[in-house]
Amino acid sequence: MKSIKVMVNGIPGRVSSVVARHVLNDDRFELIPHALTGPEITESECNIDASTIQLILPESREQAISEIMEREGAFISVDFSLPPAVNSNAEFYCNKGLPFVMGTTGGDRKLLEDTVRSSSIAAVIAPNMAKQIVGFQAMMEYAANTFKGLFNGYSLEIKESHQKGKADTSGTAKAMAKYFNSLGTPFSEEDIIKERDPETQKNVWGIPEEYLDGHGWHTYTLVSDDKTVRFQFTHNVNGREVYGKGTIDAILYLNEKVKEGTKGTVFSMIDVLKGA
Amino acid sequence: MKSIKVMVNGIPGRVSSVVARHVLNDDRFELIPHALTGPEITESECNIDASTIQLILPESREQAISEIMEREGAFISVDFSLPPAVNSNAEFYCNKGLPFVMGTTGGDRKLLEDTVRSSSIAAVIAPNMAKQIVGFQAMMEYAANTFKGLFNGYSLEIKESHQKGKADTSGTAKAMAKYFNSLGTPFSEEDIIKERDPETQKNVWGIPEEYLDGHGWHTYTLVSDDKTVRFQFTHNVNGREVYGKGTIDAILYLNEKVKEGTKGTVFSMIDVLKGA
């Protein structure tokens, strides 16, 4: 079987690198040794295992991509960049006719989807590539829509821990809070307990030292008003491997859709899960 | 508003008593001071708070029920008896035209449903009256049907603790194991870790002493093959209050259905949850 060519764009050293490594070490794929990156990047190349990736700055991307497209033929682009680049990158992929998987958050999400829908390409767009967490969110959404008030009279606690650099509250925790609201527990975003102190993370939460700089731990606890019933849901992610694996599945899914001739369509991680 | 008359049948001192107490202490209901019970019962009456309930043995139930029906008019029957009584009790309710809520497990379940469907009454039949647990099972069933293989490559551990007298493995844990199978984790009923030792329950699990003789604690733990992702779901029930509360909701639901003129229909706890 011919391998699927993949170009992984974004910030070296973050999820992009995890994805690039998965692509490199998987016979089903061939990694294109070039990556579009942002204006803040000063290196001209980066290394993924024994491979060297040429980094392409925004000002040279027009010419570079033409050469790459001519040389490589069809490929899937993967985008893990930064929020300010979301819409301009999507427009770039759409203009060039490059189907893409985007895990970047932020930007104007409506415009992002509209850009793809009015283009000739298909894309998988997912702010969270961790399949199992997306699946768990979908379960919660199903319950929230189907069993309104199921947890009436229950108290809720939401705790999340992430690396020190993460300033905002976990988007997953916020989404979950909304589902729990539908399930009958009053709770606002401000009630979410955020842990960002590495000492507490290590000593109280028991988060392994090597993951203090990259983890996402979440626990939701429901207790009935008479205290006789207790539910607890936990999802703890260390490092970024799970996002890499989910992105691989998204690439495979999108590649099938491209082969089927799908155009102008936005797929979510839920589509990827269902199609797996 | 006229209150709903309820007759609570079964074994004094177990879930029946919890339900009877809820009915007694809720203005929406009126408890009929009689209860059908099994041949093993030697008492002729029992007390629920300040009320005395006359216990009716199987051999006198034909005559007794005619008198009660004549005196009380329409009412909802609740059944928490024992597995051998499931089918004969259902037949009795159906023959007498008594809509019922049945939380009793065991018996021939197919025959049970057929009996109701070919009768003139409606019933809520649910082996588990704990609404929140039923809702959580429904979430899992949804995921198992929608996201096959979501947890491929994950290892699973299921632990459950129940009072010492419970010989069999938790039915909820067994049902969950099947959902996890669809989600990609190989696991058999025999892999479920059963805890029945009160000392371990108290000292290792931290189950409160007063609930050692009546509890159902369950924990499901999923770990990814590279150990970077961990999911854990827990539902811990102490005592039988939650079953009592769920039964009250089932009575209210069935009463509505009876008022609407529904006949020959079996409702599940899922119907009750959706209708809430």
Side-chain angles (χ1 to χ4, degrees):
Chain A
M1 206 186 86
K2 203 162 137 274
S3 58
I4 303 163
K5 290 193 179 183
V6 179
M7 183 166 173
V8 181
N9 305 315
I11 313 301
R14 291 175 52 113
V15 186
S16 323
S17 306
V18 176
V19 175
R21 191 166 290 115
H22 273 282
V23 168
L24 264 178
N25 295 318
D26 190 323
D27 285 346
R28 295 171 294 182
F29 303 108
E30 186 186 324
L31 182 67
I32 293 175
H34 299 275
L36 304 175
T37 191
E40 69 284 3
I41 300 301
T42 51
E43 304 94 318
S44 64
E45 55 182 49
C46 71
N47 293 313
I48 305 290
D49 296 344
S51 300
T52 302
I53 311 295
Q54 303 294 329
L55 299 175
I56 302 162
L57 287 171
E59 64 262 30
S60 19
R61 71 182 183 180
E62 279 288 341
Q63 202 195 321
I65 204 75
S66 301
E67 290 167 17
I68 292 167
M69 288 172 73
E70 195 167 328
R71 190 173 60 242
E72 306 286 351
F75 58 89
I76 304 277
S77 298
V78 173
D79 192 288
F80 283 95
S81 47
L82 292 174
V86 158
N87 293 104
S88 63
N89 285 10
E91 210 169 309
F92 180 78
Y93 299 128
C94 288
N95 284 340
K96 298 295 170 190
L98 300 171
F100 66 94
V101 171
M102 182 176 272
T104 315
T105 57
D108 181 335
R109 308 302 287 187
K110 167 91 171 57
L111 175 62
L112 171 59
E113 300 205 350
D114 288 346
T115 303
V116 174
R117 292 208 174 96
S118 58
S119 82
S120 65
I121 60 107
V124 174
I125 299 178
N128 186 347
M129 288 283 171
K131 282 202 312 180
Q132 293 76 19
I133 293 172
V134 171
F136 179 56
Q137 278 189 252
M139 283 169 64
M140 289 293 303
E141 186 180 18
Y142 164 79
N145 291 335
T146 316
F147 307 125
K148 297 212 187 296
L150 181 64
F151 287 100
N152 272 340
Y154 280 62
S155 64
L156 174 65
E157 184 194 77
I158 301 184
K159 286 165 60 170
E160 56 97 336
S161 173
H162 285 79
Q163 59 280 354
K164 204 177 171 185
K166 184 175 168 67
D168 55 331
T169 303
S170 153
T172 306
K174 289 193 279 191
M176 291 291 189
K178 290 218 168 61
Y179 299 140
F180 284 115
N181 288 162
S182 293
L183 289 167
T185 54
F187 195 89
S188 80
E189 278 186 19
E190 293 74 50
D191 300 326
I192 297 171
I193 301 167
K194 282 198 301 280
E195 187 56 67
R196 296 292 181 268
D197 174 40
E199 281 304 304
T200 309
Q201 291 172 337
K202 191 176 139 191
N203 300 321
V204 180
W205 290 61
I207 296 168
E209 186 137 25
E210 73 240 64
Y211 293 118
L212 291 178
D213 67 349
H215 68 272
W217 286 33
H218 299 75
T219 291
Y220 315 87
T221 307
L222 292 151
V223 178
S224 65
D225 47 9
D226 67 0
K227 315 278 188 229
T228 64
V229 184
R230 186 165 169 276
F231 278 78
Q232 192 167 63
F233 306 119
T234 291
H235 51 92
N236 295 345
V237 170
N238 288 330
R240 301 188 168 98
E241 277 300 309
V242 70
Y243 307 106
K245 287 181 186 171
T247 306
I248 290 297
D249 287 323
I251 295 169
L252 290 170
Y253 180 85
L254 183 59
N255 186 60
E256 287 305 309
K257 293 293 158 189
V258 169
K259 284 203 294 192
E260 291 167 13
T262 309
K263 294 179 195 301
T265 309
V266 175
F267 298 102
S268 71
M269 210 57 195
I270 297 284
D271 296 312
V272 174
L273 293 190
K274 288 184 176 171
Chain B
M1 204 185 86
K2 201 160 138 276
S3 57
I4 303 163
K5 291 194 180 184
V6 180
M7 182 167 173
V8 181
N9 306 314
I11 314 302
R14 291 174 51 112
V15 185
S16 324
S17 306
V18 177
V19 175
R21 189 165 292 116
H22 274 281
V23 168
L24 264 178
N25 295 320
D26 189 323
D27 284 346
R28 293 171 295 182
F29 304 107
E30 185 186 324
L31 182 67
I32 294 176
H34 300 275
L36 304 176
T37 190
E40 69 284 1
I41 300 299
T42 50
E43 304 93 319
S44 64
E45 55 183 49
C46 71
N47 294 312
I48 305 290
D49 295 345
S51 300
T52 301
I53 310 295
Q54 303 294 328
L55 298 174
I56 302 162
L57 286 171
E59 64 262 31
S60 16
R61 70 182 183 181
E62 279 288 341
Q63 202 195 321
I65 204 75
S66 302
E67 290 168 17
I68 292 166
M69 288 172 72
E70 195 167 328
R71 188 173 61 242
E72 306 286 352
F75 57 90
I76 303 277
S77 298
V78 174
D79 192 287
F80 282 95
S81 47
L82 291 173
V86 159
N87 293 104
S88 63
N89 285 10
E91 209 167 313
F92 180 78
Y93 299 128
C94 288
N95 283 339
K96 298 295 171 191
L98 300 171
F100 65 95
V101 171
M102 181 177 273
T104 315
T105 57
D108 181 336
R109 307 303 285 189
K110 167 90 172 59
L111 175 62
L112 170 59
E113 299 204 352
D114 288 347
T115 304
V116 174
R117 292 206 173 99
S118 58
S119 82
S120 66
I121 60 106
V124 173
I125 299 179
N128 186 347
M129 288 283 172
K131 280 202 314 181
Q132 293 76 17
I133 293 172
V134 171
F136 180 56
Q137 279 190 250
M139 283 170 63
M140 289 293 302
E141 186 180 18
Y142 164 78
N145 291 335
T146 316
F147 307 124
K148 296 212 187 297
L150 181 64
F151 286 100
N152 272 339
Y154 279 62
S155 64
L156 173 65
E157 183 193 77
I158 301 185
K159 285 165 61 170
E160 56 96 337
S161 173
H162 285 80
Q163 58 280 355
K164 204 177 171 187
K166 183 174 170 66
D168 56 331
T169 303
S170 152
T172 306
K174 289 194 279 191
M176 292 291 190
K178 289 219 169 61
Y179 299 140
F180 283 115
N181 289 161
S182 293
L183 289 166
T185 55
F187 194 89
S188 80
E189 279 185 19
E190 294 73 49
D191 299 327
I192 297 171
I193 300 168
K194 284 198 300 280
E195 186 57 67
R196 296 292 181 270
D197 175 40
E199 280 304 305
T200 309
Q201 291 171 339
K202 190 176 140 193
N203 300 320
V204 180
W205 289 61
I207 296 168
E209 187 139 22
E210 73 239 63
Y211 294 118
L212 291 177
D213 68 348
H215 68 273
W217 285 33
H218 298 75
T219 291
Y220 315 87
T221 308
L222 292 150
V223 178
S224 65
D225 47 8
D226 68 0
K227 315 278 188 227
T228 64
V229 185
R230 186 165 168 276
F231 278 78
Q232 191 166 63
F233 306 120
T234 291
H235 51 91
N236 295 346
V237 169
N238 288 330
R240 301 190 170 94
E241 277 301 308
V242 71
Y243 307 106
K245 286 180 186 171
T247 306
I248 291 296
D249 286 324
I251 296 169
L252 291 169
Y253 180 85
L254 183 59
N255 186 59
E256 286 305 308
K257 293 293 158 187
V258 169
K259 284 203 295 193
E260 292 166 12
T262 309
K263 293 179 195 302
T265 310
V266 175
F267 297 102
S268 71
M269 210 57 196
I270 297 283
D271 296 313
V272 175
L273 293 191
K274 288 185 176 171

